[in-house]
Amino acid sequence: MRCSRFSVAIALTVALAPTPSHPGRAETPPSHLPNPLGYVSDHAGVLDAEWKARIRSVCQDLERKTGVELVVVTVPSTRSYATAKDYGSALYERWGIGTAQQDHGLLVLAVAEGRQATVTVGKGLLGVITPPTIEGIGNTYLEPAFRAGRYGEGLYRATVALAAVAQDIRVGEPPRSRRKGLGIFLTLLTSIGALWFLWWIARPDLRHPYGRLRRGEFWGSGQGGFGGNFGGFGGGMSGEGLK
C-alpha cells in the first residue's frame, strides 16, 4: 500500500475451504457478496461494453484452450470485509471458481473505493502464477491504468498478461514428466518391434516351409519324386536348347 492518495493493493491469495475455529459454534456465512454474471461481473459499473467484450473474449479463449477459469470482477467496496484480499478470497470460494477445473482458477478483483485490486489464485496454478508474476502485472498494467481511472484498459491488459503466463497449462493432462516417460517407452517398444520384423523377413527359412528344403528337412520324407520331376523337366529344357 502506497502512502499517496491513490493506492492499488496487489495480493496473492489461495482460496481454501473455510475451517471453523470453534467446531461447536455455527459459522456465519460470508455476507454482502454479489452473484456471478459470467466471465466479467461489473458490479461497480466501471466498464463499458467494449472493454467487457474484450476481457470476456480473453477469458473464453483461455478456458477453451487450457481449461483454466479466469474471472474478472469489479465491486464498489469490500463492505464488511477488512481487505480486498479477504473479499476476493471469499468471493472465489463462494462462486466456486476453478472447482470444475481441479482448482485451476483465477479471480481478478477491482474495488472502486480506494482503487484497489487483488488477484486470487487457485492451488492448481500456484506453481505457474507466482507472487512476483502478480506483482509485476499489477505494477505494469493495473496501477497506472487505475490511477488514471481507466479500469477497462487496466483489467484487460492484466487479463491478457495472466492468460499469456497460463497458456501452456492443460488441465486434466498428466504431468510432463509422465508424458515424457510414456513417450520414451513407446519409442523403445516400436524400435524393438521394427528390428524384430526386419530380422524375421530376412530369414525365409523361418517364415516359409520351402526354405527348409535347403536344409534337407524334407529329403526322404516321401516327396523325393517331386524333386525328380523337377530334374527331368530341367533336362528336357537343356536338350531343346542344343537343337
Side-chain angles (χ1 to χ4, degrees):
M1 185 77 69
R2 298 179 183 274
C3 295
S4 61
R5 63 179 181 85
F6 170 79
S7 63
V8 176
I10 306 299
L12 172 69
T13 61
V14 183
L16 301 174
T19 54
S21 55
H22 302 283
R25 183 186 303 174
E27 188 174 5
T28 304
S31 58
H32 306 297
L33 292 176
N35 294 321
L37 301 176
Y39 290 107
V40 184
S41 297
D42 183 26
H43 293 285
V46 295
L47 304 176
D48 58 32
E50 182 180 356
W51 286 120
K52 283 183 185 178
R54 289 187 179 187
I55 296 170
R56 186 181 302 111
S57 177
V58 173
C59 296
Q60 288 174 335
D61 287 345
L62 179 65
E63 185 167 10
R64 185 178 69 252
K65 295 175 181 177
T66 68
V68 175
E69 185 178 12
L70 172 57
V71 177
V72 177
V73 183
T74 72
V75 294
S77 68
T78 58
R79 297 188 179 182
S80 59
Y81 290 86
T83 65
K85 174 182 175 180
D86 294 339
Y87 190 98
S89 181
L91 202 63
Y92 184 100
E93 184 68 29
R94 170 69 73 85
W95 289 7
I97 299 172
T99 301
Q101 292 84 356
Q102 304 168 29
D103 212 1
H104 285 72
L106 283 167
L107 169 66
V108 181
L109 173 68
V111 184
E113 184 179 86
R115 298 181 182 181
Q116 302 176 73
T118 183
V119 179
T120 305
V121 182
K123 290 180 291 184
L125 294 174
L126 288 179
V128 179
I129 311 295
T130 61
T133 299
I134 295 205
E135 184 178 359
I137 291 174
N139 292 334
T140 304
Y141 303 111
L142 292 175
E143 183 173 353
F146 281 21
R147 185 185 298 275
R150 299 192 301 269
Y151 288 96
E153 177 185 342
L155 290 172
Y156 170 72
R157 295 188 184 281
T159 301
V160 171
L162 287 170
V165 176
Q167 65 181 342
D168 293 329
I169 296 172
R170 296 295 181 272
V171 176
E173 284 192 358
R176 290 190 176 184
S177 58
R178 252 180 84 191
R179 284 185 283 141
K180 183 178 179 181
L182 180 61
I184 293 174
F185 173 75
L186 291 176
T187 300
L188 181 62
L189 187 63
T190 303
S191 300
I192 293 174
L195 290 173
W196 179 87
F197 178 74
L198 291 174
W199 174 81
W200 183 75
I201 64 174
R203 295 289 303 274
D205 56 317
L206 297 178
R207 60 187 175 87
H208 201 289
Y210 288 123
R212 289 187 283 182
L213 289 173
R214 294 186 306 180
R215 299 202 305 258
E217 293 182 10
F218 286 92
W219 297 121
S221 61
Q223 300 185 26
F226 184 76
N229 290 338
F230 237 93
F233 183 75
M237 288 287 291
S238 299
E240 289 290 330
L242 291 174
K243 297 177 182 178

Coordinates of all heavy atoms in Angstrom, one line a residue, residues 133-218:
T133 N 5.1 -12.7 -10.3 CA 4.4 -12.5 -11.6 C 3.2 -11.6 -11.3 O 3.0 -10.7 -12.1 CB 3.8 -13.9 -12.1 OG1 4.9 -14.8 -12.3 CG2 3.0 -13.7 -13.3
I134 N 2.4 -11.8 -10.3 CA 1.3 -11.0 -10.0 C 1.7 -9.5 -9.6 O 1.1 -8.6 -10.1 CB 0.5 -11.6 -8.8 CG1 -0.1 -12.9 -9.3 CG2 -0.6 -10.6 -8.3 CD1 -1.2 -13.4 -8.6
E135 N 2.8 -9.4 -8.9 CA 3.3 -8.1 -8.5 C 3.7 -7.3 -9.8 O 3.4 -6.1 -10.0 CB 4.5 -8.2 -7.6 CG 5.0 -6.8 -7.1 CD 6.1 -7.0 -6.1 OE1 6.5 -8.1 -5.8 OE2 6.6 -5.9 -5.7
G136 N 4.3 -8.0 -10.7 CA 4.8 -7.4 -12.0 C 3.6 -6.9 -12.8 O 3.6 -5.8 -13.4
I137 N 2.6 -7.8 -12.9 CA 1.4 -7.5 -13.7 C 0.6 -6.3 -13.0 O 0.2 -5.4 -13.7 CB 0.4 -8.7 -13.8 CG1 1.1 -9.7 -14.7 CG2 -0.9 -8.3 -14.3 CD1 0.3 -11.1 -14.7
G138 N 0.6 -6.3 -11.7 CA -0.1 -5.2 -11.0 C 0.6 -3.8 -11.2 O 0.0 -2.8 -11.5
N139 N 1.9 -3.8 -11.1 CA 2.7 -2.6 -11.2 C 2.7 -2.1 -12.7 O 2.8 -0.9 -12.9 CB 4.1 -2.8 -10.7 CG 4.1 -3.0 -9.2 OD1 3.3 -2.6 -8.5 ND2 5.2 -3.7 -8.7
T140 N 2.7 -3.0 -13.6 CA 2.8 -2.7 -15.0 C 1.5 -2.2 -15.6 O 1.4 -1.3 -16.4 CB 3.4 -3.8 -15.8 OG1 4.7 -4.2 -15.2 CG2 3.6 -3.4 -17.3
Y141 N 0.4 -2.9 -15.3 CA -0.9 -2.7 -16.0 C -2.0 -2.1 -15.1 O -2.6 -1.2 -15.5 CB -1.4 -4.0 -16.6 CG -0.4 -4.7 -17.5 CD1 0.3 -5.9 -17.2 CD2 0.0 -4.1 -18.8 CE1 1.2 -6.4 -18.1 CE2 0.9 -4.7 -19.6 CZ 1.5 -5.8 -19.3 OH 2.4 -6.4 -20.1
L142 N -2.1 -2.7 -13.9 CA -3.3 -2.2 -13.1 C -3.0 -0.9 -12.5 O -3.9 0.0 -12.6 CB -3.5 -3.3 -12.0 CG -4.1 -4.6 -12.5 CD1 -4.2 -5.6 -11.3 CD2 -5.4 -4.5 -13.2
E143 N -1.9 -0.7 -11.8 CA -1.7 0.6 -11.1 C -1.7 1.8 -12.0 O -2.5 2.8 -11.7 CB -0.4 0.5 -10.3 CG -0.2 1.8 -9.5 CD 1.0 1.7 -8.6 OE1 1.6 0.6 -8.5 OE2 1.4 2.7 -7.9
P144 N -1.0 1.9 -13.1 CA -1.1 3.1 -14.0 C -2.4 3.3 -14.5 O -2.9 4.5 -14.6 CB -0.1 2.7 -15.1 CG 0.8 1.7 -14.6 CD 0.0 0.8 -13.7
A145 N -3.1 2.3 -15.0 CA -4.5 2.5 -15.5 C -5.5 2.9 -14.5 O -6.3 3.8 -14.7 CB -4.9 1.2 -16.2
F146 N -5.4 2.3 -13.3 CA -6.4 2.7 -12.2 C -6.1 4.1 -11.8 O -7.0 4.8 -11.4 CB -6.2 1.7 -11.1 CG -6.9 0.4 -11.3 CD1 -7.2 -0.1 -12.5 CD2 -7.3 -0.4 -10.2 CE1 -7.9 -1.3 -12.7 CE2 -7.9 -1.6 -10.3 CZ -8.2 -2.1 -11.6
R147 N -4.9 4.5 -11.8 CA -4.5 5.8 -11.4 C -5.2 6.9 -12.3 O -5.6 7.9 -11.8 CB -3.0 6.1 -11.4 CG -2.5 7.4 -10.9 CD -1.0 7.6 -11.1 NE -0.3 6.6 -10.4 CZ 0.1 6.7 -9.1 NH1 -0.3 7.8 -8.4 NH2 0.8 5.7 -8.5
A148 N -5.3 6.5 -13.5 CA -6.0 7.4 -14.5 C -7.5 7.2 -14.6 O -8.2 7.8 -15.4 CB -5.3 7.3 -15.9
G149 N -8.0 6.2 -13.8 CA -9.4 5.9 -13.9 C -9.8 5.0 -15.1 O -11.0 4.9 -15.4
R150 N -8.8 4.4 -15.7 CA -9.1 3.5 -16.9 C -9.2 2.1 -16.5 O -8.3 1.3 -16.7 CB -8.0 3.7 -18.0 CG -8.0 5.2 -18.5 CD -7.1 5.2 -19.8 NE -5.7 4.7 -19.6 CZ -4.7 5.5 -19.2 NH1 -4.9 6.8 -19.0 NH2 -3.5 5.0 -19.0
Y151 N -10.3 1.8 -15.8 CA -10.4 0.4 -15.2 C -10.5 -0.6 -16.3 O -9.9 -1.7 -16.2 CB -11.7 0.3 -14.4 CG -11.6 1.0 -13.1 CD1 -12.1 2.3 -12.9 CD2 -11.0 0.4 -12.0 CE1 -12.0 3.0 -11.7 CE2 -11.0 1.1 -10.7 CZ -11.4 2.4 -10.6 OH -11.4 3.1 -9.4
G152 N -11.2 -0.4 -17.4 CA -11.3 -1.3 -18.5 C -10.0 -1.7 -19.1 O -9.7 -2.8 -19.3
E153 N -9.2 -0.6 -19.4 CA -7.9 -0.9 -20.0 C -7.0 -1.7 -19.1 O -6.3 -2.6 -19.5 CB -7.2 0.5 -20.4 CG -5.8 0.3 -21.0 CD -5.1 1.7 -21.2 OE1 -5.8 2.7 -21.2 OE2 -3.9 1.7 -21.3
G154 N -6.9 -1.3 -17.8 CA -6.0 -2.0 -16.9 C -6.4 -3.4 -16.7 O -5.6 -4.3 -16.7
L155 N -7.7 -3.7 -16.5 CA -8.2 -5.1 -16.3 C -8.0 -5.9 -17.6 O -7.6 -7.1 -17.5 CB -9.6 -5.1 -15.9 CG -9.9 -4.5 -14.5 CD1 -11.4 -4.4 -14.2 CD2 -9.3 -5.5 -13.4
Y156 N -8.2 -5.3 -18.7 CA -8.0 -6.0 -20.0 C -6.5 -6.4 -20.1 O -6.2 -7.6 -20.4 CB -8.4 -5.2 -21.2 CG -8.0 -5.8 -22.5 CD1 -8.6 -6.9 -23.0 CD2 -7.0 -5.2 -23.3 CE1 -8.3 -7.5 -24.2 CE2 -6.6 -5.7 -24.5 CZ -7.3 -6.9 -24.9 OH -6.9 -7.4 -26.1
R157 N -5.6 -5.5 -19.9 CA -4.2 -5.8 -20.1 C -3.7 -6.8 -19.0 O -2.8 -7.6 -19.3 CB -3.4 -4.5 -20.0 CG -3.7 -3.5 -21.2 CD -2.7 -2.3 -21.2 NE -3.1 -1.4 -22.3 CZ -2.8 -1.6 -23.6 NH1 -2.1 -2.7 -23.9 NH2 -3.2 -0.7 -24.5
A158 N -4.2 -6.7 -17.8 CA -3.8 -7.6 -16.8 C -4.3 -9.0 -17.1 O -3.6 -10.0 -16.9 CB -4.4 -7.2 -15.4
T159 N -5.5 -9.1 -17.7 CA -6.1 -10.4 -18.1 C -5.3 -11.0 -19.2 O -5.0 -12.2 -19.2 CB -7.6 -10.2 -18.6 OG1 -8.4 -9.6 -17.5 CG2 -8.2 -11.5 -19.0
V160 N -4.9 -10.2 -20.2 CA -4.1 -10.7 -21.3 C -2.7 -11.3 -20.7 O -2.2 -12.3 -21.1 CB -3.8 -9.7 -22.3 CG1 -2.8 -10.1 -23.3 CG2 -5.1 -9.3 -23.0
A161 N -2.1 -10.5 -19.8 CA -0.8 -10.9 -19.2 C -1.0 -12.2 -18.4 O -0.1 -13.1 -18.5 CB -0.3 -9.8 -18.3
L162 N -2.0 -12.4 -17.7 CA -2.3 -13.6 -16.9 C -2.5 -14.8 -17.8 O -2.0 -15.9 -17.6 CB -3.4 -13.5 -15.9 CG -3.2 -12.6 -14.7 CD1 -4.5 -12.3 -14.0 CD2 -2.2 -13.2 -13.8
A163 N -3.3 -14.6 -18.9 CA -3.6 -15.6 -19.9 C -2.3 -16.1 -20.6 O -2.1 -17.2 -20.9 CB -4.6 -15.1 -20.9
A164 N -1.4 -15.1 -20.9 CA -0.1 -15.4 -21.5 C 0.7 -16.4 -20.6 O 1.4 -17.3 -21.1 CB 0.6 -14.2 -21.9
V165 N 0.7 -16.1 -19.3 CA 1.5 -16.9 -18.4 C 0.9 -18.3 -18.3 O 1.6 -19.3 -18.2 CB 1.6 -16.3 -17.0 CG1 2.3 -17.2 -16.0 CG2 2.2 -14.9 -17.1
A166 N -0.4 -18.4 -18.4 CA -1.1 -19.7 -18.2 C -1.4 -20.5 -19.5 O -2.0 -21.5 -19.5 CB -2.4 -19.5 -17.5
Q167 N -0.9 -20.0 -20.6 CA -1.3 -20.5 -21.9 C -0.8 -21.9 -22.2 O -1.4 -22.7 -23.0 CB -0.8 -19.6 -23.1 CG 0.7 -19.5 -23.2 CD 1.2 -18.6 -24.3 OE1 0.4 -18.3 -25.2 NE2 2.4 -18.2 -24.3
D168 N 0.3 -22.4 -21.5 CA 0.8 -23.7 -21.7 C 0.2 -24.8 -20.8 O 0.5 -26.0 -20.9 CB 2.3 -23.7 -21.6 CG 3.0 -22.9 -22.7 OD1 2.5 -22.9 -23.8 OD2 4.1 -22.3 -22.4
I169 N -0.7 -24.4 -19.9 CA -1.3 -25.3 -19.0 C -2.4 -26.1 -19.7 O -3.1 -25.5 -20.6 CB -1.9 -24.6 -17.8 CG1 -0.8 -23.9 -17.0 CG2 -2.7 -25.5 -16.9 CD1 -1.3 -23.0 -15.9
R170 N -2.5 -27.4 -19.4 CA -3.6 -28.2 -19.9 C -4.2 -28.9 -18.8 O -3.7 -29.9 -18.3 CB -3.1 -29.2 -21.0 CG -2.5 -28.5 -22.2 CD -3.6 -27.8 -23.0 NE -3.1 -27.2 -24.2 CZ -2.5 -26.0 -24.3 NH1 -2.4 -25.2 -23.2 NH2 -2.1 -25.5 -25.5
V171 N -5.4 -28.5 -18.3 CA -6.0 -29.0 -17.1 C -6.5 -30.5 -17.5 O -7.1 -30.7 -18.5 CB -7.2 -28.2 -16.7 CG1 -7.9 -28.9 -15.5 CG2 -6.7 -26.8 -16.3
G172 N -6.1 -31.4 -16.6 CA -6.5 -32.8 -16.8 C -5.5 -33.7 -17.5 O -5.6 -34.9 -17.5
E173 N -4.4 -33.1 -18.1 CA -3.4 -33.8 -18.7 C -2.4 -34.3 -17.6 O -2.2 -33.7 -16.6 CB -2.6 -33.0 -19.7 CG -3.4 -32.8 -21.0 CD -2.4 -32.3 -22.1 OE1 -1.3 -32.0 -21.8 OE2 -2.9 -32.1 -23.2
P174 N -1.8 -35.5 -17.9 CA -0.7 -36.0 -16.9 C 0.4 -35.0 -16.9 O 0.7 -34.3 -17.9 CB -0.4 -37.3 -17.4 CG -0.7 -37.3 -18.9 CD -1.9 -36.4 -19.0
P175 N 1.2 -35.0 -15.8 CA 2.4 -34.2 -15.8 C 3.3 -34.4 -16.9 O 3.4 -35.5 -17.5 CB 3.1 -34.5 -14.4 CG 2.0 -35.1 -13.6 CD 1.0 -35.8 -14.6
R176 N 4.1 -33.4 -17.3 CA 5.0 -33.6 -18.5 C 6.0 -34.7 -18.3 O 6.4 -35.4 -19.2 CB 5.8 -32.3 -18.7 CG 4.9 -31.2 -19.2 CD 5.7 -30.0 -19.7 NE 4.8 -29.0 -20.3 CZ 5.3 -27.9 -20.8 NH1 6.6 -27.6 -20.9 NH2 4.5 -27.0 -21.4
S177 N 6.5 -34.9 -17.0 CA 7.5 -36.0 -16.8 C 6.9 -37.3 -17.1 O 7.5 -38.2 -17.6 CB 7.9 -35.9 -15.3 OG 6.8 -36.0 -14.4
R178 N 5.6 -37.5 -16.7 CA 4.9 -38.8 -17.0 C 4.7 -39.0 -18.5 O 5.0 -40.0 -19.1 CB 3.5 -38.8 -16.4 CG 3.4 -39.7 -15.2 CD 2.0 -39.7 -14.6 NE 1.1 -40.6 -15.3 CZ -0.2 -40.6 -15.1 NH1 -0.7 -39.7 -14.3 NH2 -0.9 -41.4 -15.7
R179 N 4.3 -37.9 -19.2 CA 4.1 -38.0 -20.6 C 5.5 -38.3 -21.3 O 5.5 -39.0 -22.3 CB 3.5 -36.7 -21.2 CG 2.0 -36.6 -20.9 CD 1.4 -35.4 -21.5 NE 1.7 -34.2 -20.7 CZ 2.0 -33.0 -21.3 NH1 2.1 -32.9 -22.6 NH2 2.3 -32.0 -20.5
K180 N 6.5 -37.7 -20.8 CA 7.8 -37.9 -21.4 C 8.3 -39.3 -21.3 O 8.8 -39.9 -22.2 CB 8.9 -36.9 -20.8 CG 10.2 -37.0 -21.4 CD 11.2 -36.0 -20.8 CE 12.6 -36.1 -21.4 NZ 13.5 -35.2 -20.7
G181 N 8.1 -39.9 -20.1 CA 8.4 -41.3 -19.8 C 7.6 -42.2 -20.7 O 8.2 -43.2 -21.2
L182 N 6.3 -41.9 -20.9 CA 5.5 -42.8 -21.7 C 5.9 -42.7 -23.2 O 6.0 -43.7 -23.9 CB 4.0 -42.3 -21.6 CG 3.0 -43.1 -22.4 CD1 3.0 -44.6 -22.0 CD2 1.6 -42.5 -22.3
G183 N 6.3 -41.5 -23.6 CA 6.8 -41.4 -25.0 C 8.1 -42.2 -25.2 O 8.3 -42.8 -26.3
I184 N 9.0 -42.2 -24.3 CA 10.3 -42.9 -24.4 C 10.0 -44.4 -24.4 O 10.5 -45.2 -25.3 CB 11.2 -42.6 -23.2 CG1 11.7 -41.1 -23.3 CG2 12.4 -43.5 -23.2 CD1 12.5 -40.7 -22.1
F185 N 9.1 -44.9 -23.6 CA 8.7 -46.3 -23.6 C 8.1 -46.7 -24.9 O 8.5 -47.8 -25.5 CB 7.7 -46.6 -22.5 CG 7.2 -48.0 -22.5 CD1 7.9 -49.0 -22.0 CD2 5.9 -48.2 -22.9 CE1 7.4 -50.3 -22.0 CE2 5.4 -49.5 -22.9 CZ 6.1 -50.6 -22.5
L186 N 7.2 -45.9 -25.5 CA 6.6 -46.3 -26.7 C 7.6 -46.3 -27.9 O 7.5 -47.1 -28.8 CB 5.4 -45.3 -27.0 CG 4.2 -45.4 -26.1 CD1 3.2 -44.3 -26.5 CD2 3.5 -46.8 -26.3
T187 N 8.5 -45.3 -27.9 CA 9.5 -45.3 -28.9 C 10.4 -46.5 -28.8 O 10.7 -47.1 -29.9 CB 10.4 -44.0 -28.7 OG1 9.5 -42.8 -28.8 CG2 11.5 -43.9 -29.8
L188 N 10.8 -46.9 -27.6 CA 11.6 -48.1 -27.4 C 10.9 -49.3 -27.9 O 11.5 -50.2 -28.6 CB 12.1 -48.2 -26.0 CG 13.0 -49.4 -25.6 CD1 14.3 -49.3 -26.4 CD2 13.2 -49.4 -24.1
L189 N 9.6 -49.4 -27.5 CA 8.9 -50.6 -27.9 C 8.7 -50.7 -29.4 O 8.8 -51.8 -30.0 CB 7.5 -50.5 -27.3 CG 6.6 -51.8 -27.4 CD1 7.2 -53.0 -26.8 CD2 5.2 -51.5 -26.8
T190 N 8.5 -49.5 -30.1 CA 8.4 -49.5 -31.6 C 9.7 -49.9 -32.2 O 9.7 -50.6 -33.2 CB 7.9 -48.1 -32.0 OG1 6.7 -47.8 -31.4 CG2 7.7 -48.1 -33.5
S191 N 10.8 -49.4 -31.7 CA 12.1 -49.8 -32.3 C 12.4 -51.3 -32.2 O 12.9 -51.9 -33.1 CB 13.2 -49.0 -31.6 OG 13.0 -47.6 -31.7
I192 N 12.1 -51.8 -31.0 CA 12.3 -53.3 -30.9 C 11.4 -54.1 -31.8 O 11.9 -55.0 -32.5 CB 12.0 -53.7 -29.4 CG1 13.0 -53.1 -28.5 CG2 12.0 -55.2 -29.3 CD1 12.7 -53.3 -27.0
G193 N 10.2 -53.7 -32.0 CA 9.3 -54.3 -32.9 C 9.8 -54.2 -34.4 O 9.7 -55.2 -35.1
A194 N 10.3 -53.1 -34.7 CA 10.8 -52.9 -36.1 C 12.0 -53.8 -36.4 O 12.1 -54.4 -37.4 CB 11.1 -51.4 -36.3
L195 N 12.9 -53.9 -35.4 CA 14.1 -54.7 -35.6 C 13.7 -56.2 -35.7 O 14.3 -56.9 -36.5 CB 15.1 -54.5 -34.4 CG 15.8 -53.1 -34.3 CD1 16.5 -53.0 -33.0 CD2 16.7 -52.9 -35.5
W196 N 12.8 -56.6 -34.8 CA 12.4 -58.0 -34.9 C 11.7 -58.3 -36.2 O 12.0 -59.4 -36.8 CB 11.4 -58.3 -33.8 CG 10.8 -59.7 -33.8 CD1 11.4 -60.8 -33.2 CD2 9.7 -60.1 -34.5 NE1 10.7 -61.9 -33.5 CE2 9.6 -61.5 -34.3 CE3 8.7 -59.5 -35.2 CZ2 8.5 -62.3 -34.8 CZ3 7.6 -60.3 -35.8 CH2 7.6 -61.7 -35.5
F197 N 10.9 -57.4 -36.8 CA 10.3 -57.6 -38.1 C 11.3 -57.7 -39.2 O 11.2 -58.6 -40.1 CB 9.3 -56.5 -38.4 CG 8.6 -56.6 -39.7 CD1 7.6 -57.6 -39.9 CD2 9.0 -55.8 -40.8 CE1 7.0 -57.7 -41.1 CE2 8.3 -55.9 -42.0 CZ 7.3 -56.9 -42.2
L198 N 12.3 -56.8 -39.2 CA 13.4 -56.9 -40.2 C 14.2 -58.2 -40.1 O 14.5 -58.8 -41.1 CB 14.3 -55.7 -40.0 CG 13.7 -54.3 -40.4 CD1 14.7 -53.2 -40.0 CD2 13.4 -54.2 -41.9
W199 N 14.4 -58.7 -38.9 CA 15.1 -59.9 -38.7 C 14.3 -61.1 -39.2 O 14.8 -62.0 -39.9 CB 15.5 -60.1 -37.3 CG 16.1 -61.5 -36.9 CD1 17.4 -61.9 -37.1 CD2 15.4 -62.6 -36.4 NE1 17.5 -63.2 -36.7 CE2 16.3 -63.7 -36.3 CE3 14.1 -62.8 -36.0 CZ2 16.0 -64.9 -35.8 CZ3 13.7 -64.1 -35.6 CH2 14.7 -65.1 -35.4
W200 N 13.0 -61.0 -39.0 CA 12.1 -62.1 -39.4 C 12.0 -62.2 -40.9 O 12.1 -63.3 -41.5 CB 10.7 -61.9 -38.8 CG 9.7 -63.0 -39.1 CD1 9.7 -64.2 -38.5 CD2 8.7 -62.9 -40.0 NE1 8.6 -64.9 -39.0 CE2 8.0 -64.1 -39.9 CE3 8.2 -61.9 -40.8 CZ2 6.9 -64.4 -40.7 CZ3 7.1 -62.2 -41.6 CH2 6.4 -63.4 -41.5
I201 N 11.9 -61.1 -41.6 CA 11.7 -61.2 -43.1 C 13.1 -61.5 -43.7 O 13.1 -61.9 -44.9 CB 11.2 -59.9 -43.7 CG1 12.2 -58.7 -43.4 CG2 9.8 -59.5 -43.1 CD1 11.7 -57.4 -44.1
A202 N 14.2 -61.3 -43.0 CA 15.5 -61.7 -43.6 C 15.7 -63.2 -43.4 O 16.8 -63.7 -43.9 CB 16.6 -60.9 -42.9
R203 N 14.9 -64.0 -42.8 CA 15.1 -65.4 -42.6 C 13.9 -66.2 -43.2 O 13.0 -66.5 -42.5 CB 15.1 -65.7 -41.1 CG 16.3 -65.1 -40.3 CD 17.6 -65.8 -40.7 NE 17.5 -67.3 -40.5 CZ 17.8 -67.8 -39.3 NH1 18.2 -67.1 -38.3 NH2 17.7 -69.1 -39.1
P204 N 14.0 -66.4 -44.5 CA 12.9 -67.1 -45.2 C 12.7 -68.5 -44.7 O 11.6 -69.1 -44.8 CB 13.3 -67.1 -46.7 CG 14.8 -66.9 -46.7 CD 15.0 -66.0 -45.5
D205 N 13.8 -69.1 -44.1 CA 13.7 -70.5 -43.6 C 12.8 -70.5 -42.4 O 12.3 -71.6 -42.0 CB 15.1 -71.0 -43.3 CG 15.8 -70.1 -42.3 OD1 15.7 -68.8 -42.4 OD2 16.4 -70.6 -41.3
L206 N 12.5 -69.4 -41.8 CA 11.7 -69.4 -40.6 C 10.2 -69.1 -41.0 O 9.3 -69.4 -40.2 CB 12.2 -68.4 -39.6 CG 13.6 -68.6 -39.0 CD1 13.9 -67.5 -38.1 CD2 13.6 -69.9 -38.3
R207 N 10.0 -68.4 -42.1 CA 8.7 -68.0 -42.4 C 8.0 -68.8 -43.5 O 6.9 -68.5 -43.8 CB 8.6 -66.5 -42.7 CG 9.5 -66.1 -43.9 CD 9.6 -64.6 -44.0 NE 10.5 -64.2 -45.0 CZ 10.2 -64.0 -46.3 NH1 9.0 -64.3 -46.7 NH2 11.1 -63.7 -47.2
H208 N 8.8 -69.6 -44.3 CA 8.2 -70.3 -45.4 C 8.7 -71.8 -45.4 O 9.9 -72.0 -45.3 CB 8.6 -69.6 -46.7 CG 7.7 -70.0 -47.8 ND1 7.7 -71.2 -48.4 CD2 6.8 -69.2 -48.5 CE1 6.8 -71.2 -49.4 NE2 6.2 -70.0 -49.4
P209 N 7.8 -72.8 -45.6 CA 8.2 -74.2 -45.5 C 9.2 -74.5 -46.6 O 10.0 -75.4 -46.4 CB 6.9 -74.9 -45.6 CG 5.9 -74.0 -46.2 CD 6.4 -72.6 -45.7
Y210 N 9.2 -73.9 -47.8 CA 10.1 -74.3 -48.8 C 11.5 -73.9 -48.5 O 12.5 -74.5 -49.0 CB 9.7 -73.6 -50.1 CG 8.5 -74.2 -50.8 CD1 7.4 -73.3 -51.0 CD2 8.4 -75.5 -51.1 CE1 6.2 -73.9 -51.6 CE2 7.2 -76.0 -51.6 CZ 6.2 -75.2 -51.9 OH 5.0 -75.7 -52.4
G211 N 11.7 -73.0 -47.6 CA 13.0 -72.6 -47.2 C 13.7 -73.7 -46.4 O 14.9 -73.9 -46.5
R212 N 12.9 -74.6 -45.8 CA 13.5 -75.7 -45.1 C 14.0 -76.8 -46.0 O 14.7 -77.7 -45.6 CB 12.5 -76.3 -44.1 CG 12.2 -75.3 -42.9 CD 11.4 -75.9 -41.9 NE 10.0 -75.9 -42.3 CZ 9.0 -76.4 -41.5 NH1 9.3 -76.9 -40.3 NH2 7.8 -76.3 -41.9
L213 N 13.6 -76.8 -47.3 CA 14.2 -77.7 -48.2 C 15.7 -77.6 -48.4 O 16.4 -78.6 -48.6 CB 13.5 -77.6 -49.6 CG 12.0 -78.0 -49.7 CD1 11.5 -77.6 -51.0 CD2 11.9 -79.5 -49.5
R214 N 16.2 -76.3 -48.2 CA 17.6 -76.1 -48.3 C 18.4 -76.8 -47.2 O 19.5 -77.1 -47.4 CB 17.9 -74.6 -48.3 CG 17.3 -73.9 -49.5 CD 17.8 -72.5 -49.6 NE 17.5 -71.8 -48.3 CZ 17.8 -70.5 -48.1 NH1 18.4 -69.8 -49.0 NH2 17.5 -69.9 -47.0
R215 N 17.7 -77.0 -46.1 CA 18.4 -77.6 -45.0 C 18.3 -79.2 -45.0 O 18.8 -79.9 -44.2 CB 17.9 -77.1 -43.7 CG 18.0 -75.6 -43.5 CD 18.0 -75.3 -42.0 NE 16.7 -75.8 -41.4 CZ 15.7 -75.0 -41.1 NH1 15.7 -73.8 -41.4 NH2 14.6 -75.5 -40.5
G216 N 17.5 -79.7 -46.1 CA 17.4 -81.1 -46.2 C 16.3 -81.7 -45.3 O 16.3 -82.9 -45.1
E217 N 15.5 -80.9 -44.7 CA 14.5 -81.4 -43.8 C 13.5 -82.3 -44.5 O 12.8 -83.1 -43.9 CB 13.8 -80.3 -43.0 CG 14.8 -79.5 -42.1 CD 14.1 -78.4 -41.4 OE1 12.8 -78.4 -41.4 OE2 14.8 -77.6 -40.7
F218 N 13.2 -82.1 -45.8 CA 12.2 -82.8 -46.5 C 12.7 -84.0 -47.3 O 11.9 -84.7 -47.9 CB 11.4 -81.9 -47.4 CG 10.5 -81.0 -46.6 CD1 10.9 -79.7 -46.2 CD2 9.2 -81.4 -46.3 CE1 10.1 -78.9 -45.5 CE2 8.3 -80.6 -45.6 CZ 8.8 -79.3 -45.2

